[in-house]
Amino acid sequence: QVQLQESGPGLVKPSETLSLTCTVSGGSISAYYWNWIRQTPGKGLDWIGYVYHNGDTRYNPSFKSRVTISVDTSTKQFSLELQSVTAADTAVYYCARGGPAARDFDYWGQGTLLTVSS
Amino acid sequence: EIVLTQSPGTLSLSPGERATLSCRTSQSISSSYLAWYQQKPGQAPRLLLFGASNRPTGIPDRFSGSGSETDFILTISSLEPEDVGMYYCQQYGSSPRYSFGQGTKLEIK
């Protein structure tokens, strides 16, 4: 059974860079798209971007200037960096695997709450 | 950008009743590009249907989906108490590649 687990600091100061990591277990990291999605009470679910196992990326234009997603296949981890965070970036961040046709998300991590506050 | 509008905002029904949830897209999409998720309180979303009507392994057959072009429906044929939660539709498109509806809250009386 594929499992994903997010890890990160929980609290970030405004203007700093948010860094989160997702560890994949129980399955291969190859041949799938690996996504970051966040959920806020006000805006609901927002797709941030994905990385393919070969390092190719695609981002939501809403985040594109601030976001970097990378993958390390040797450790079966992928990571999210979001620069210049503000209070509006306070959210639950999920990592998720793209389904076989990459049109949906078939496995999700439990989510990690990230708060932006001084 | 394709906008997904879900209705109703909240649905309150009794166990055994039939639930009908709607997702309308601002542009026509292929039914292959529409998915539904269930999110129980305190949990991550779970894929319920992909390709508008296909259930992943382990999803009960009381969940079904239909629709085409701009109008899609999620039906729960006979509600169970554990079906309480939020339900989201999601589309696969061009930019952004993926987007979600705002959700329907399902309450069980």
Side-chain angles (χ1 to χ4, degrees):
Chain A
Q1 175 78 345
V2 175
Q3 292 186 311
L4 291 81
Q5 179 68 58
E6 305 90 349
S7 57
L11 179 66
V12 178
K13 291 182 169 56
S15 80
E16 293 187 344
T17 296
L18 170 169
S19 295
L20 296 174
T21 296
C22 182
T23 302
V24 180
S25 60
S28 173
I29 200 166
S30 297
Y32 288 100
Y33 291 84
W34 301 96
N35 298 265
W36 287 99
I37 296 161
R38 75 180 189 184
Q39 185 170 32
T40 60
K43 286 201 67 184
L45 289 160
D46 276 324
W47 174 74
I48 300 170
Y50 68 54
V51 61
Y52 194 48
H53 70 99
N54 65 358
D56 288 347
T57 56
R58 183 165 182 145
Y59 302 126
N60 185 329
S62 297
F63 300 94
K64 191 169 184 177
S65 61
R66 300 195 291 141
V67 66
T68 302
I69 300 176
S70 58
V71 64
D72 184 341
T73 55
S74 66
T75 59
K76 296 179 70 174
Q77 293 180 327
F78 63 105
S79 298
L80 168 70
E81 288 194 346
L82 187 65
Q83 300 173 341
S84 304
V85 297
T86 69
D89 294 310
T90 294
V92 176
Y93 286 77
Y94 295 100
C95 57
R97 191 182 83 169
R103 296 169 183 168
D104 43 60
F105 310 104
D106 59 357
Y107 290 96
W108 295 63
Q110 65 185 25
T112 186
L113 174 62
L114 191 121
T115 302
V116 179
S117 176
S118 55
Chain B
E1 177 181 349
I2 296 177
V3 176
L4 289 76
T5 303
Q6 294 187 241
S7 61
T10 302
L11 190 56
S12 185
L13 295 168
S14 299
E17 289 193 298
R18 183 185 190 91
T20 302
L21 289 69
S22 171
C23 176
R24 181 161 290 178
T25 60
S26 60
Q27 300 174 36
S28 179
I29 64 170
S30 166
S31 61
S32 298
Y33 295 171
L34 196 285
W36 288 93
Y37 300 83
Q38 175 194 60
Q39 186 176 32
K40 296 184 179 180
Q43 296 184 16
R46 175 176 73 147
L47 181 64
L48 268 187
L49 298 170
F50 63 93
S53 61
N54 302 287
R55 286 186 305 275
T57 302
I59 300 300
D61 61 6
R62 65 178 183 275
F63 293 95
S64 63
S66 62
S68 62
E69 297 187 347
T70 61
D71 290 289
F72 298 90
I73 298 290
L74 167 66
T75 301
I76 310 172
S77 60
S78 179
L79 282 169
E80 301 278 349
E82 61 264 29
D83 297 334
V84 65
M86 292 292 295
Y87 290 80
Y88 296 94
C89 57
Q90 170 251 313
Q91 68 88 31
Y92 164 84
S94 55
S95 184
R97 180 53 65 98
Y98 309 94
S99 58
F100 294 84
Q102 84 281 13
T104 290
K105 183 176 184 180
L106 178 60
E107 298 175 340
I108 307 296
K109 294 178 183 175

